[in-house]
Amino acid sequence: MRGTVISVVVDAPPNVLDMQKLIRRDETIIQTEADWIGLLPIRSYMLLYQFSDGGEVEGMEHSRATAIEVPASAIRADISAIDSVTAHEFFHLWNIRRIRPCSMVPVEYTKEPYTSDLWFSEGATSAVARLILLRAGLLTEQQYLDRLGSLITGLENTPARKYQSVEDASRTVWLSRYPAYQAPDRSISHYQKGELLTVMLDLLIRKETEGHKSLQDVFRYLESAYGTEGR
Ligand SMILES: [Zn+2]
């Protein structure tokens, strides 16, 4: 990370976490992602955390920053509760900020941009984030497989998987704040199925190339061919 300044800002009640532990985990995640894709194309970046009572795990990516919210109770119980969302949001630095589907260029902020591709922007980001945590030693192999198993079970237990495609789920993401739309017989999660499709893509590439290529090569190619500053 030579030449890049990473700032970590935390808004939390007293004694929620050890800041040095958080910083070490963030450094590990950022370094592992930069090594995985082969570059760290930023001079500065800010991780802005809010650990409050109540609330959910949320994150929002920006070009040079991310805002992340995690319940303080989860952090108190186990600081690793922050890892997945940190790895996911930081990988958006590439997948969506620098590598963006044509259907999202330019971003139209005055109305909903209907896109079929959100499953890749979000699902592949989650898949890479999970691989990064495994590589970095922040997830064990068993924890990685358990997570994959729960994703598969979750999708199998969602009846809407039989009639809603992951592209349809991407297009209708605007409805996802309505509880009726979130019912398992009404919609699937483009995050969940997108992550599983990306894992399957990785496995297929490894099989077809006899282990010589993988998802990593896909992202290295996308970054070198399409990675663009300033989005
Ligand atoms: Zn995301």
Side-chain angles (χ1 to χ4, degrees):
M1 287 188 283
R2 192 180 302 156
T4 301
V5 176
I6 306 289
S7 307
V8 180
V9 178
V10 172
D11 174 26
N15 306 319
V16 167
L17 80 165
D18 179 336
M19 273 297 287
Q20 292 308 313
K21 282 186 183 172
L22 176 67
I23 289 169
R24 279 198 296 277
R25 297 182 93 84
D26 287 347
E27 283 177 344
T28 300
I29 290 168
I30 291 168
Q31 188 65 63
T32 308
E33 291 195 359
D35 291 345
W36 191 81
I37 203 158
L39 80 165
L40 188 56
I42 45 171
R43 304 283 303 220
S44 64
Y45 192 90
M46 179 181 288
L47 294 143
L48 181 57
Y49 291 108
Q50 185 170 47
F51 305 135
S52 51
D53 294 320
E56 298 178 355
V57 177
E58 299 268 8
M60 177 54 70
E61 71 279 2
H62 303 279
S63 296
R64 295 288 177 271
T66 183
I68 290 173
E69 182 184 357
V70 178
S73 56
I75 300 295
R76 276 196 198 95
D78 184 358
I79 194 170
S80 72
I82 195 70
D83 295 343
S84 285
V85 65
T86 299
H88 177 106
E89 297 306 327
F90 194 73
F91 195 69
H92 273 316
L93 174 62
W94 291 278
N95 196 26
I96 219 168
R97 301 307 314 188
R98 292 175 57 82
I99 303 165
R100 182 173 295 184
C102 292
S103 58
M104 294 186 219
V105 180
V107 174
E108 174 54 80
Y109 288 105
T110 61
K111 56 189 176 190
E112 305 94 332
Y114 289 96
T115 170
S116 309
D117 307 316
L118 207 56
W119 70 268
F120 186 80
S121 299
E122 291 298 355
T125 297
S126 289
V128 172
R130 208 88 51 202
L131 281 176
I132 293 299
L133 297 183
L134 183 62
R135 271 186 168 231
L138 296 175
L139 268 187
T140 66
E141 198 171 301
Q142 191 58 53
Q143 287 172 321
Y144 177 86
L145 293 173
D146 287 347
R147 167 68 186 165
L148 203 54
S150 68
L151 273 178
I152 294 168
T153 303
L155 184 61
E156 285 184 340
N157 290 337
T158 305
R161 71 185 165 85
K162 294 177 181 170
Y163 41 83
Q164 187 182 46
S165 72
V166 76
E167 290 193 336
D168 283 342
S170 298
R171 271 190 295 271
T172 51
V173 66
W174 304 100
L175 303 175
S176 61
R177 293 287 174 182
Y178 295 99
Y181 178 78
Q182 291 178 351
D185 60 350
R186 175 68 182 82
S187 66
I188 63 169
S189 162
H190 62 285
Y191 283 86
Q192 184 184 55
K193 189 167 180 181
E195 182 172 349
L196 287 172
L197 286 175
T198 307
V199 171
M200 291 172 70
L201 174 66
D202 192 18
L203 293 174
L204 183 65
I205 294 169
R206 289 169 190 265
K207 179 171 175 276
E208 293 295 320
T209 62
E210 297 181 343
H212 291 296
K213 300 286 183 185
S214 69
L215 185 66
Q216 183 181 26
D217 296 284
V218 174
F219 270 104
R220 286 188 172 205
Y221 169 74
L222 290 174
E223 167 57 38
S224 66
Y226 302 107
T228 304
E229 286 281 346
R231 284 178 174 166

